[in-house]
């Protein structure tokens, strides 16, 4: 696609339910990032993929959060047993990846707004 | 390892005044440096980037930043603030095979 695509754009769920957020990066981009942005807050790093592996998942807040990436492309962020404090905008970004001619410039999606009631 | 420090989580300037947002970085490899902007209720977009060519980088909407290796800085400036510049600005560093690292952001308020 032309840009980073995220779905759903908005998700309202009840406390305790599981949610899946999807990110479709720019074709050919090997690096993929997930960030969380709570109301009025800055960017909170969650996880970084290089290809299908995640060299850095240090930002995942708890074991309720997990992410996977398949085929070096689409990524899914899963939040189990959602809590109200999980309410935030979840941003995905992709880049050509590190090394070589890549500068690491990130291209962001529009985000998925999650509201946990 | 790399890191970014943005001094001042909130900056207020009068319309027409100079905008100066500070960013200092550390990196064990030659860095690439970026400024991203997030307007209210919008996603992040690239404002400008330093990729080891010219040390003075010009971006969109009249912003520019200067890479100063000796000071490990990449401050963002604009000679005259406009109301439409009110947004949150993020500095970021990348390099080698390391992941991109963001600063904590600076919210710019422009006072009429």
């Amino acid at each position: 696609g032309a840009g980073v695509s995220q779905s759903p754009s908005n998700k309202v769920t009840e406390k305790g339910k599981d949610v899946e957020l999807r990110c479709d990066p720019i074709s050919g981009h090997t690096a993929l990032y997930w960030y969380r942005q709570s109301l009025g807050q800055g960017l909170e790093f969650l996880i970084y993929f290089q290809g299908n592996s995640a060299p850095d998942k240090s930002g995942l807040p708890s074991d309720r959060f997990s992410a996977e990436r398949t085929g070096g492309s689409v990524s899914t962020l899963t939040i189990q047993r959602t809590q109200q404090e999980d309410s935030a905008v979840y941003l995905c970004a992709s880049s050509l990846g590190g090394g070589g001619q890549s500068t690491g410039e990130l291209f962001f999606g529009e985000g998925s707004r999650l509201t946990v009631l | 390892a790399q890191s970014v420090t943005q001094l001042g989580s909130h900056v207020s300037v009068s319309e027409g005044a100079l905008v100066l947002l500070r960013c200092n970085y550390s990196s064990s490899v030659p860095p690439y440096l970026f400024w991203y902007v997030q307007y209210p209720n919008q996603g992040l977009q690239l404002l400008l980037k330093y990729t080891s060519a010219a040390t003075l980088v010009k971006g969109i909407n009249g912003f520019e930043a200067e890479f100063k290796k000796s000071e490990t800085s990449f401050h963002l400036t604009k000679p005259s603030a406009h109301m439409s510049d009110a947004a949150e600005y993020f500095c970021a560093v990348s390099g080698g095979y390391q992941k991109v690292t963001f600063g904590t952001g600076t919210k710019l308020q422009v006072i009429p």
Side-chain angles (χ1 to χ4, degrees), chain A residues 4-71:
Chain A
V4 178
S5 178
Q6 292 189 246
S7 61
S9 56
N10 276 286
K11 176 71 175 180
V12 180
T13 190
E14 294 179 348
K15 178 181 173 181
K17 299 285 189 182
D18 297 351
V19 297
E20 286 189 351
L21 307 177
R22 175 189 168 105
C23 174
D24 200 342
I26 293 172
S27 178
H29 280 192
T30 60
L32 186 148
Y33 296 75
W34 283 99
Y35 295 92
R36 179 167 72 173
Q37 196 168 33
S38 302
L39 187 63
Q41 302 299 307
L43 287 172
E44 179 185 4
F45 167 77
L46 297 179
I47 187 168
Y48 157 61
F49 286 93
Q50 185 62 248
N52 290 336
S53 63
D56 189 343
K57 43 188 168 183
S58 62
L60 294 177
S62 73
D63 59 7
R64 295 188 296 106
F65 287 72
S66 63
E68 65 175 13
R69 189 178 185 196
T70 56

Side-chain angles (χ1 to χ4, degrees), chain B residues 24-109:
Chain B
N24 288 87
Y25 71 92
S26 69
S27 179
S28 56
V29 298
Y32 298 118
L33 294 157
F34 309 86
W35 278 99
Y36 291 85
V37 60
Q38 186 177 32
Y39 297 105
N41 300 313
Q42 294 187 27
L44 277 83
Q45 59 181 283
L46 183 69
L47 194 58
L48 51 79
K49 61 184 177 182
Y50 166 75
T51 58
S52 75
T55 56
L56 182 63
V57 181
K58 295 186 184 298
I60 60 173
N61 301 333
F63 283 92
E64 63 182 37
E66 186 172 8
F67 171 67
K68 292 187 176 180
K69 183 177 179 180
S70 61
E71 299 177 8
T72 61
S73 69
F74 190 59
H75 302 329
L76 182 70
T77 61
K78 182 174 180 178
S80 176
H82 191 274
M83 295 299 295
S84 61
D85 295 328
E88 188 160 19
Y89 294 80
F90 294 91
C91 183
V93 62
S94 71
Y97 289 89
Q98 301 179 73
K99 70 174 175 67
V100 177
T101 300
F102 280 85
T104 52
T106 298
K107 290 181 180 175
L108 177 66
Q109 180 187 23

